Amino acid sequence: MLELKIIPLGKVDKRVLDEIASALKEKFKAKVRITPSVDLPEEAYNKLRGQYLGITLIEYLANNYEGRILGVTNEDMYSKGLNFIFGQAQLNGRVAVISLHRLNPEFYREGKDYTLLIKRARKEAIHEIGHTLGLTHCSNTSCVMCFSNTIREVDEKSEDFCELCKLRLEK
């Protein structure tokens, strides 16, 4: 059985963490545990950008914690060559991280919408854990493994794997 740890990086709403845990339990038949919150590593923060570098967060988690891990933060993240990212993962690795910052409808001045935030967070958590299990980006726009460059693309895909990605997961 797949075992996953969700590690909140900074202050993260427990209800959101519980919803993410529920999604991961459902999709991967996993045993999921939410750990106490940890501070974000200072070395991951880029003062000029006001964002955290995703790979540095992954390395921090990989170097300090055991097992398969999903880090969850409210802070904005980026990757080299990209203005922002919703999440990042080690392909065939054990660590992934997602940011709720741009998944939150309030970021787009759409007002509070807890249900929409949860839908988006579940999709991104499933997507990034999929990468740790060896899945790459999928060209099927309704598959959860489809790359999302915009929030609309997150909204348009489902939280389900397409048939091809399901087969790849079973291998």
Side-chain angles (χ1 to χ4, degrees):
M1 173 183 270
L2 183 65
E3 292 191 22
L4 289 165
K5 268 187 251 177
I6 296 176
I7 301 179
L9 296 163
K11 188 169 172 31
V12 181
D13 186 323
K14 178 162 177 8
R15 296 172 307 158
V16 175
L17 295 170
D18 288 340
E19 291 284 354
I20 291 169
S22 174
L24 296 174
K25 285 175 191 174
E26 288 170 28
K27 287 295 168 211
F28 299 106
K29 309 292 184 255
K31 179 181 173 191
V32 181
R33 183 169 65 89
I34 301 169
T35 72
S37 176
V38 301
D39 291 334
L40 287 116
E42 286 181 34
E43 65 271 18
Y45 188 68
N46 182 321
K47 289 178 187 162
L48 292 174
R49 295 178 70 119
Q51 294 173 299
Y52 285 82
L53 183 58
I55 191 65
T56 306
L57 294 176
I58 287 171
E59 289 165 356
Y60 168 77
L61 292 169
N63 292 335
N64 291 285
Y65 301 93
E66 297 294 318
R68 191 169 309 271
I69 297 163
L70 175 67
V72 180
T73 185
N74 277 311
E75 301 301 325
D76 201 13
M77 290 189 325
Y78 76 101
S79 180
K80 288 189 173 120
L82 295 173
N83 290 333
F84 71 90
I85 54 174
F86 299 118
Q88 191 168 355
Q90 296 172 318
L91 185 61
N92 282 313
R94 59 180 192 84
V95 181
V97 64
I98 66 167
S99 166
L100 303 174
H101 188 78
R102 291 176 191 253
L103 298 176
N104 193 329
E106 291 180 82
F107 177 82
Y108 304 95
R109 295 178 178 84
E110 296 171 352
K112 261 193 186 324
D113 188 338
Y114 180 74
T115 303
L116 185 55
L117 170 62
I118 293 304
K119 276 184 178 177
R120 291 170 174 174
R122 288 173 59 103
K123 290 176 191 180
E124 288 309 304
I126 293 165
H127 178 97
E128 297 306 340
I129 293 300
H131 282 318
T132 70
L133 297 171
L135 293 178
T136 55
H137 287 143
C138 180
S139 60
N140 181 334
T141 55
S142 66
C143 178
V144 73
M145 291 310 298
C146 187
F147 175 73
S148 298
N149 200 36
T150 68
I151 198 63
R152 293 294 154 241
E153 290 170 346
V154 173
D155 290 340
E156 288 168 6
K157 68 184 177 182
S158 77
E159 69 175 50
D160 296 321
F161 295 103
C162 70
E163 291 306 314
L164 188 57
C165 286
K166 278 182 197 169
L167 285 173
R168 289 180 179 143
L169 261 184
E170 290 169 8
K171 286 183 181 178

